[in-house]
Amino acid sequence: MKQKSVAIVGAAETTQMGIIPDMSVIELHADAALNAMADCGLKPSDIDGVATAGESPVAVAHHLGITPTYVDGTSVGGCSFMLHVRHAAAAINEGLATTVLITHGESGRSRVGAGRFGPAAASLQGQFEAPYGASGPPSMFTIPVLRYMKELGLTHEQLAMVAVVQREWAGMNPRASFRDPITVEDVLNSRMIAYPFRLLECCLVTDGGGALILTSASRAKDFPTKPVYILGTGESTETPMVSQMEDFTSSKAFRVSGKKAFDEAGISHADVDHLMIYDAFAHLPIYALEDLGFCKRGEAAGFIWEGNTRPGGKLPLNTNGGGLSYMHSGMYGMYALQESVRQLRGTAPAQVPGAKISISHGVGGMFAASGTIIMTNEK
Amino acid sequence: MADYRKPIPQPTPETQPFWDGTKAGELRLQRCDACSNVIFPPRPFCPRCASRSVSWFKATGKGKLWSYVINHRPAPGFEQEAPYAIAVVKLDEGPHMMTNIVDCPQTPEALQLDMAMEVVFQPVSETISLPKFRPAGA
């Protein structure tokens, strides 16, 4: 896409965050959407493009009273919203729509109006993974990690440190679910979930939502909010079955999506002021730091251990506290994007001083898909 | 088997030969007739060269322990076994296969990556036997 041709002008999360037993999935979408429209002074009649995942974009559009000329139901897991941003930018440039609303809502914890988990018995996952007792992401997303530990020397302490550092960021965010400081020892003493992963290395399960509104850069200056321009974008997929990952120490989808985004943006890693990496589990920042090219193979855990990603470090990472401490409704990518927007607007609770370029990198499924969005606040 | 409460695979036309194989005590994979690529999970073509000419063959049933977790939060039907390993074996023919490890303690000490594994077949219904793996020579 053409650099900085499209901007995020509206961005908001649901009014409440965490445990929201009195709102169904569709109302979480609507609450976030209404907040995002209020953020930038738009009404449903001003929106002509709708994108969402999990829920049907038809349902979201109708619920909000929107008649779209552009619809994107791309649903590849928690990074779907990165793909929606990418597709919306292309659609706006191509004239398919002028103003695109992207929504997320998920009753991940309370399960109000939510669907069921689990593959069909005749699907490939149902035939070749489910019979072995995989019980959702904690026992599947984590399967490649022992291989990484053996081949690249990652230690249990280093894995635990990912959660420790993110809790430092969460401590600065009043909306974070967990804010009390933790130590490596606390992490390693927390309940075993799926060896080698303990409770504090696994994401939260909460309720919430978020929404973004995108329009052309030329219109963006007419909005009350500070525009966040789309600088580079990438997406890819690898496999719906974690067991079929080509390399258990690296995500092909991360590598492809990240490179595409960097190439489009025309920036180097040193230009990046702020980074969000979808952290459903503690190993994801380690894989992504390497697959995106911020660290050499096998060096990301040491990079985190040495404090480079913590408050005051040279590469502030997951500054909202991440899926490990802020919130995780199931499809976390929207919250990573929201934090990037806050940082570039200068309104984040744990603001990175002078941040000009931010990256939100998402994963979908269990290393199944990926999306990368590079943003800037400089025209 | 009547009280088996775990998920049971439901074969499709494309995967039926695989499940016929496990029922008969054979681990069957596919090989591309054009480029020799070994294919798993089953499909009627080669994802490397797109040839529709692929043939089933009997695999060695041997491989090595590639990675695993030891799951402490059992899936429905697995309550009696928790904690239990969910493993991936890298077959000698190349493909990865998710499985459970049998005839071996479900501990990090006993489950060493790269240990040699061999397939065994566990009947779970009248028509389905699951391929599982045990340490070779166990």
Side-chain angles (χ1 to χ4, degrees):
Chain A
M1 62 163 284
K2 193 162 157 279
Q3 292 171 6
K4 305 183 196 179
S5 57
V6 169
I8 298 170
V9 293
E13 294 174 346
T14 43
T15 309
Q16 301 175 71
M17 188 72 86
I19 300 174
I20 316 173
D22 58 347
M23 286 183 86
S24 64
V25 170
I26 190 75
E27 293 313 328
L28 292 167
H29 281 264
D31 182 52
L34 293 170
N35 285 343
M37 285 188 260
D39 179 54
C40 61
L42 291 180
K43 305 182 298 296
S45 56
D46 299 317
I47 307 286
D48 58 1
V50 173
T52 193
E55 185 58 87
S56 158
V58 179
V60 170
H62 183 258
H63 203 63
L64 287 164
I66 294 168
T67 305
T69 63
Y70 166 78
V71 180
D72 182 6
T74 302
S75 194
V76 294
C79 66
S80 298
F81 314 102
M82 282 80 175
L83 278 67
H84 295 154
V85 168
R86 187 169 201 244
H87 303 170
I92 290 166
N93 279 333
E94 193 61 25
L96 307 186
T98 63
T99 314
V100 177
L101 170 70
I102 303 170
T103 68
H104 160 69
E106 200 164 10
S107 186
R109 184 174 194 91
S110 304
R111 313 294 305 161
V112 185
R116 294 170 60 87
F117 286 123
S123 67
L124 292 177
Q125 295 96 318
Q127 292 183 69
F128 298 109
E129 290 191 338
Y132 304 107
S135 54
S139 62
M140 299 179 76
F141 213 155
T142 50
I143 285 177
V145 175
L146 283 183
R147 190 81 220 163
Y148 184 105
M149 293 176 102
K150 172 159 184 174
E151 291 193 9
L152 295 164
L154 170 69
T155 67
H156 294 281
E157 288 76 15
Q158 287 175 325
L159 189 61
M161 184 57 98
V162 175
V164 172
V165 172
Q166 293 196 198
R167 186 62 64 85
E168 289 182 29
W169 286 111
M172 301 161 74
N173 184 352
R175 261 161 76 93
S177 296
F178 291 137
R179 303 184 59 207
D180 294 338
I182 52 174
T183 64
V184 167
E185 195 173 32
D186 292 335
V187 177
L188 295 180
N189 285 332
S190 65
R191 185 158 52 89
M192 188 67 82
I193 299 295
Y195 174 85
F197 280 78
R198 295 180 179 272
L199 181 67
L200 293 176
E201 294 164 328
C202 302
C203 66
L204 307 165
V205 183
T206 55
D207 308 322
L212 296 168
I213 297 171
L214 281 75
T215 192
S216 65
S218 57
R219 287 184 66 215
K221 60 183 183 304
D222 300 331
F223 285 84
T225 48
K226 182 174 181 176
V228 172
Y229 300 101
I230 308 301
L231 189 57
T233 63
E235 67 187 278
S236 192
T237 65
E238 180 169 1
T239 168
M241 301 167 73
V242 69
S243 63
Q244 300 306 309
M245 258 182 108
E246 204 170 88
D247 179 348
F248 276 25
T249 70
S250 171
S251 162
K252 183 164 73 175
F254 283 10
R255 297 194 307 271
V256 172
S257 176
K259 181 173 187 323
K260 188 84 179 153
F262 269 93
D263 286 351
E264 267 187 19
I267 61 165
S268 73
H269 292 83
D271 297 325
V272 178
D273 301 307
H274 171 251
L275 178 60
M276 297 297 293
I277 293 173
Y278 190 130
D279 58 325
F281 296 91
H283 60 306
L284 288 163
I286 294 171
Y287 278 63
L289 280 170
E290 294 175 13
D291 290 335
L292 293 176
F294 286 97
C295 296
K296 290 181 187 154
R297 256 172 88 73
E299 295 185 358
F303 183 79
I304 292 170
W305 184 269
E306 289 156 12
N308 290 299
T309 62
R310 68 166 30 132
K314 70 177 179 189
L315 184 59
L317 171 67
N318 292 345
T319 49
N320 59 356
L324 296 179
S325 285
Y326 176 52
M327 81 85 67
H328 194 295
S329 55
M331 300 174 81
Y332 169 83
M334 174 58 80
Y335 307 97
L337 289 162
Q338 294 285 337
E339 176 67 7
S340 283
V341 170
R342 284 192 292 265
Q343 289 287 350
L344 294 177
R345 287 178 171 182
T347 59
Q351 181 64 42
V352 175
K356 294 185 177 60
I357 293 183
S358 173
I359 300 184
S360 271
H361 177 75
V363 65
M366 288 160 277
F367 288 121
S370 186
T372 313
I373 303 296
I374 304 180
M375 293 153 267
T376 181
N377 53 16
E378 289 189 319
K379 180 61 182 155
Chain B
M1 285 191 290
D3 58 352
Y4 190 82
R5 297 195 303 113
K6 300 170 183 172
I8 295 177
Q10 185 180 321
T12 60
E14 300 81 14
T15 63
Q16 188 66 53
F18 178 89
W19 296 112
D20 290 344
T22 57
K23 176 78 179 160
E26 291 185 359
L27 189 68
R28 294 176 187 165
L29 300 174
Q30 292 163 300
R31 185 181 286 121
C32 174
D33 297 327
C35 77
S36 302
N37 184 31
V38 177
I39 300 156
F40 179 83
R43 71 207 76 173
F45 62 91
C46 175
R48 188 161 82 184
C49 76
S51 167
R52 290 177 185 263
S53 179
V54 297
S55 301
W56 290 92
F57 69 99
K58 180 186 172 185
T60 60
K62 296 189 185 309
K64 56 186 176 183
L65 182 56
W66 199 242
S67 206
Y68 65 89
V69 293
I70 302 173
N71 189 21
H72 289 245
R73 295 166 71 247
F78 286 78
E79 293 83 358
Q80 303 297 319
E81 287 149 63
Y84 58 93
I86 305 166
V88 172
V89 167
K90 185 173 175 62
L91 300 171
D92 282 358
E93 291 81 3
H96 296 159
M97 185 175 284
M98 191 175 279
T99 191
N100 296 128
I101 307 300
V102 298
D103 298 337
C104 183
Q106 308 287 291
T107 64
E109 295 73 26
L111 294 164
Q112 294 290 327
L113 296 200
D114 296 319
M115 64 197 276
M117 310 298 292
E118 63 189 15
V119 72
V120 293
F121 299 98
Q122 183 196 357
V124 299
S125 74
E126 292 300 317
T127 54
I128 296 290
S129 289
L130 291 177
K132 299 205 170 179
F133 284 78
R134 66 182 178 196

